[in-house]
Amino acid sequence: QVQLQQSGAELVRPGTSVKVSCKASGYAFTNYLIEWVKQRPGQGLEWIGVINPGSGGTNYNEKFKGKATLTADKSSSTAYMQLSSLTSDDSAVYFCARTARATAMDYWGQGTSVTVSS
Amino acid sequence: DIVMTQAAPSVPVTPGESVSISCRSSKSLLHSNGNTYLYWFLQRPGQSPQLLIYRMSNLASGVPDRFSGSGSGTAFTLRISRVEAEDVGVYYCMQHLEYPFTFGGGTKLEIK
């Protein structure tokens, strides 16, 4: 069965970076894109960007350029999102989701909570 | 960016009744290939979002046929018939036509 397993919750200091992982299983990793979504506490969903694990190609929401960096490792079927220069505004739950052009975001990870606090 | 608007922040409904949730886009989501790239998701409390409807009117795998989607290029409706307690959560529409993809603000379905 298709699964996206995300890394555990992070408590990080302001100004540092964090790397969230999303390990895919149950399907051909390079046949689907991986999208990332941010959700602040009690708020809605915000699209961060997308990566094509096969080519490494990415597309970012302008708002997250310089903040998020998306990568993927085909050998381990894992997608990554690094968030840099963290502030309290980055405290949120981050989700990864699998996408094909036909059925976008049909499977989601369980979410990774990132808390930025000194 | 395409702006997605869900005017109703919440909608109360009695179990067994039907309810419609609306969404509008600032630009037509109809692609030249004939598909309309509007998606509906449900986020139950404490859970990840779940795909309900893809390309405006197609039911995602495993989703009960009590759910249906319809619309035009810029105005969309998610209809839930025979509402059950498990339908509680926040419903989001999303455009998947052009970057950056954008979500509506969400509509919370509450049981009366």
Side-chain angles (χ1 to χ4, degrees), chain B residues 84-104:
Chain B
E84 300 180 2
E86 69 173 18
D87 300 335
V88 163
V90 181
Y91 291 80
Y92 294 96
C93 60
M94 178 194 188
Q95 67 83 13
H96 212 258
L97 178 68
E98 62 182 46
Y99 297 129
F101 301 145
T102 46
F103 292 90

Side-chain angles (χ1 to χ4, degrees), chain A residues 32-36 49-54 56-59 70-72 79-80:
Chain A
Y32 293 80
L33 310 181
I34 295 288
E35 301 190 52
W36 291 87
V50 60
I51 185 167
N52 181 333
T58 56
N59 195 293
L70 305 182
T71 57
Y80 298 93

Side-chain angles (χ1 to χ4, degrees), chain A residues 12-13 15-20 36-38 48 60 64 66-70 80-87 89-94 112-116:
Chain A
V12 293
R13 299 285 186 243
T16 63
S17 299
V18 68
K19 196 169 189 177
V20 177
W36 291 87
V37 172
K38 176 182 181 180
I48 297 171
Y60 293 92
F64 291 94
K67 171 62 64 178
T69 302
L70 305 182
Y80 298 93
M81 177 178 66
Q82 179 159 324
L83 300 169
S84 61
S85 304
L86 292 165
T87 72
D89 287 343
D90 300 314
S91 293
V93 175
Y94 293 87
T112 296
S113 174
V114 174
T115 303
V116 183

Side-chain angles (χ1 to χ4, degrees), chain A residues 33 35 37 39 43-47 50 59-62 95 99-106 108-111, chain B residues 1 31 33 37 39 41 43 47-51 54-55 61 92 94 96-105:
Chain A
L33 310 181
E35 301 190 52
V37 172
Q39 186 171 41
Q43 302 301 308
L45 305 171
E46 192 170 18
W47 188 78
V50 60
N59 195 293
Y60 293 92
N61 185 334
E62 280 290 330
F95 296 99
T99 278
R101 188 56 175 163
T103 56
M105 306 176 99
D106 59 349
W108 292 63
Q110 80 277 22
Chain B
D1 299 359
H31 192 278
N33 64 12
Y37 287 90
Y39 293 74
F41 298 89
Q43 187 174 32
Q47 295 188 18
S48 304
Q50 169 195 359
L51 177 66
Y54 63 95
R55 284 185 278 131
S61 176
Y92 294 96
M94 178 194 188
H96 212 258
L97 178 68
E98 62 182 46
Y99 297 129
F101 301 145
T102 46
F103 292 90

